Amino acid sequence: MLVVGFPTGAFQANCFLIAPEAGGPCVVVDPGQDAEEALVAALAEHRLAPVAVVLTHGHLDHTFSVTPVCDGNDVPAWIHPDDRYMLSDPLRGLSDEAARFFGPLTMREPAEVRELTDGAELDLAGLRLTVRHTPGHTEGSVSFGHTTAEGGELLFSGDTLFAGSIGRTDLPGGSMARMTESLRGLLDLDDETVVLPGHGPTTTIGRERASNPFLTGMVDLTDPAAAHRGRGKGI
């Protein structure tokens, strides 16, 4: 399996290309701000052709380039219905600081948008992606799981789980209670599951189970201040 990732834009959101192998179809995950040039270069280098864009949530640092990427390649965008409004009205989902950074903006949905549901299996580009609804960072946050041909487990966690941290929950649609429930569900995964987050480096479920302060109890998730402690990543 081929996974190509690179950070995009001012908030360094990770964009991924995933494919069974080079020289064929692929899926684009979270094409954020200024993603287009790097995406075109990666597609050319690995001789890939996108068949879909999948979005872990609706925040602008993950969706900024979704319309030109989708419409330029005549492919659909997949997003959870609870976050779909941000495709055309992205400032509603941002912090005041981020809204000032990006705004004012006029945006629209891609020509074709399809909605994700919890537990759905997406068969795209020869890959099967399992959708997990993982709200907390936003109402419509999802994570995508995939089992490789070699038996390895991957999780594209968006801004739900990072290496050593979790997504902030103090933005519109955020909820620490729902984040806690989502994280509990992710911890049901095998320790060897490789986590490819929306910001920062790759990690594993086992590593986060053992050392992530939000998962080990070192941070009290019932404390309202915990909602602010992921501010270094995302918007």
Side-chain angles (χ1 to χ4, degrees):
M1 182 177 177
L2 177 67
V3 179
V4 179
F6 50 88
T8 64
F11 293 90
Q12 295 289 276
N14 289 329
C15 177
F16 296 101
L17 300 176
I18 52 178
E21 59 187 359
C26 73
V27 175
V28 180
V29 183
D30 287 359
Q33 183 189 23
D34 300 329
E36 290 177 80
E37 184 175 346
L39 188 59
V40 168
L43 291 171
E45 178 182 355
H46 299 284
R47 308 182 315 284
L48 297 171
V51 299
V53 172
V54 297
L55 301 170
T56 61
H57 63 292
H59 280 160
L60 196 58
D61 56 333
H62 294 259
T63 67
F64 195 97
S65 300
V66 65
T67 296
V69 169
C70 285
D71 291 358
N73 292 281
D74 195 24
V75 301
W78 291 83
I79 191 168
H80 192 276
D82 288 347
D83 276 13
R84 182 171 178 171
Y85 71 93
M86 284 188 267
L87 293 179
S88 57
D89 193 5
L91 298 187
R92 281 177 57 195
L94 303 188
S95 65
D96 291 342
E97 178 185 10
R100 286 193 298 270
F101 177 85
F102 284 110
L105 281 175
T106 300
M107 297 188 69
R108 64 172 180 83
E109 289 188 351
E112 183 178 1
V113 178
R114 301 182 185 180
E115 295 186 348
L116 300 165
T117 57
D118 185 43
E121 300 278 349
L122 304 182
D123 290 311
L124 301 169
L127 305 169
R128 174 163 290 186
L129 302 178
T130 302
V131 180
R132 285 176 170 260
H133 185 207
T134 49
H137 182 61
T138 66
E139 293 178 307
S141 288
V142 301
S143 299
F144 298 101
H146 176 67
T147 302
T148 69
E150 298 75 25
E153 299 290 337
L154 304 180
L155 182 76
F156 296 87
S157 63
D159 284 7
T160 298
L161 178 63
F162 303 128
S165 189
I166 62 174
R168 58 189 293 183
T169 60
D170 60 326
L171 300 173
S175 165
M176 183 58 82
R178 299 192 79 187
M179 175 67 84
T180 302
E181 188 175 335
S182 294
L183 292 168
R184 188 176 293 119
L186 294 185
L187 288 179
D188 289 339
L189 297 170
D190 291 341
D191 281 353
E192 293 76 21
T193 301
V194 176
V195 179
L196 299 103
H199 301 265
T202 298
T203 185
T204 66
I205 289 292
R207 188 178 304 148
E208 298 313 301
R209 191 195 310 277
S211 62
N212 189 317
F214 290 88
L215 304 183
T216 62
M218 291 178 63
V219 173
D220 180 4
L221 295 181
T222 65
D223 178 0
H228 300 267
R229 295 181 187 172
R231 282 185 180 269
K233 296 171 182 174
I235 55 178

